[in-house]
Amino acid sequence: MKSKELFPSIFSRHAAAYDRRLDEIMSRGEARGRQRVIDLVEARPGMRILDLACGPGNLTRRLAALTGPGGEVIGVDLAPGMIEVARSRQIPSARFEIMDIEELSFGDASFDAATCGHGLQFVPHLEAALGEARRVLRPSAKFAASVPVGSPSHGAQEVLDAVVDRHLPPRPRAVDQDATRATVSDAGALSGAARQAGFASARVEVIEEKVVWRSAEHLVALFTSWWDCAARMERLDEDQRAAFVDDALETLRARYPGMLETTARNLVLDASA
């Protein structure tokens, strides 16, 4: 199955859970990759900003608070369920559209900045998405994007991944993603792709982030609602899902009886038109 057939439906089905998990992490200041994206575009009152692959509007809402009054943030995403959740927030100075970031319907040079929080890895044609982002930006405007590139192989995440491997089927995979995934997971390749798309300058930072969980129950509850895990659990029956959750809780509690943490690594693209 191709990316645009697979991912919009998955993200639509799990949009509300995705929103809860991400908003909790962002509210605690632990989503450092996405926060760096916000910082890099230097949002201020009166700016018009495009938030690509906006999901349920977690970045959009924060950008709108920085650009209003007088500014506007437009969030676009290909998953109708994500746009529905985003619109339900009724964010002042923000609006949301179902749109393919490889084929934007906006005019040339119509935005003061653009952002993308963990969305570039899902596009099958990265050069098209980056080219469209460059096209709609005014001269010298900033584009910032964060891409997850995995977690260090240690700690609570490693323990949880072992339980996942025992119980869950492989994650859904699109047949047209390999080239994009290879590019966005390499700092040099990602910055090079941005320059090839027409950006005057591009650099990539490595951002490490740590998320603290109150307990094994807290981690498992939010992990199982995340799109990746939730999509894999859809293929299990009720007893199999319960067995996975029980195993995850028991295994984590044995190693981490109290608070625990997971770590992640992101590449953050900082480009100028």
Side-chain angles (χ1 to χ4, degrees):
M1 187 177 292
K2 293 186 176 181
S3 300
K4 295 177 187 180
E5 299 168 338
L6 177 65
F7 293 116
S9 60
I10 289 176
F11 278 104
S12 289
R13 291 196 298 274
H14 302 290
Y18 183 103
D19 180 43
R20 287 192 300 271
R21 183 179 192 256
L22 181 53
D23 214 44
E24 177 179 331
I25 295 170
M26 291 193 73
S27 296
R28 298 202 305 261
E30 294 175 331
R32 294 186 62 237
R34 291 178 174 90
Q35 183 58 52
R36 182 59 176 155
V37 166
I38 294 172
D39 295 341
L40 284 170
V41 297
E42 300 177 339
R44 55 190 180 275
M47 288 180 70
R48 190 170 192 247
I49 298 179
L50 178 61
D51 188 19
L52 300 167
C54 66
N58 307 88
L59 266 71
T60 321
R61 174 162 61 91
R62 290 161 173 83
L63 290 165
L66 295 170
T67 58
E72 180 184 39
V73 183
I74 302 176
V76 299
D77 200 285
L78 203 52
M82 288 289 194
I83 294 298
E84 182 180 354
V85 172
R87 286 173 175 167
S88 72
R89 290 177 174 273
Q90 299 183 330
I91 303 168
S93 303
R95 62 184 173 93
F96 298 91
E97 302 292 340
I98 299 172
M99 196 178 300
D100 187 342
I101 68 172
E102 294 181 1
E103 300 179 66
L104 299 174
S105 63
F106 306 108
D108 295 354
S110 53
F111 290 92
D112 300 305
T115 60
C116 185
H118 290 197
L120 289 181
Q121 69 269 27
F122 295 108
V123 300
H125 306 106
L126 182 63
E127 69 283 359
L130 291 173
E132 282 291 271
R134 170 63 187 89
R135 180 184 65 79
V136 301
L137 288 175
R138 298 186 175 111
S140 300
K142 284 275 195 175
F143 172 54
S146 179
V147 181
V149 289
S151 304
S153 182
H154 61 77
Q157 187 64 54
E158 181 182 27
V159 174
L160 188 54
D161 286 345
V163 180
V164 167
D165 290 341
R166 287 199 294 271
H167 290 270
L168 301 188
R171 61 173 48 88
R173 181 181 176 276
V175 298
D176 55 357
Q177 273 202 298
D178 290 348
T180 291
R181 295 275 180 169
T183 300
V184 300
S185 63
D186 180 275
L190 178 55
S191 60
R195 287 190 292 270
Q196 287 180 347
F199 284 94
S201 65
R203 64 186 186 91
V204 172
E205 303 175 10
V206 179
I207 302 291
E208 302 276 354
E209 57 189 30
K210 177 177 70 175
V211 179
V212 177
W213 309 94
R214 296 188 301 271
S215 62
E217 289 81 359
H218 184 207
L219 172 56
V220 171
L222 289 186
F223 177 79
T224 55
S225 68
W226 196 238
W227 77 270
D228 187 328
C229 182
R232 297 161 80 174
M233 290 179 68
E234 287 177 339
R235 296 155 64 183
L236 305 181
D237 62 33
E238 186 174 346
D239 288 341
Q240 290 172 321
R241 289 194 293 270
F244 164 62
V245 171
D246 289 345
D247 191 3
L249 288 172
E250 181 179 347
T251 303
L252 283 169
R253 286 176 186 142
R255 290 280 299 273
Y256 305 97
M259 296 179 64
L260 61 163
E261 64 183 45
T262 56
T263 56
R265 182 178 295 115
N266 303 292
L267 297 185
V268 176
L269 173 67
D270 175 14
S272 295

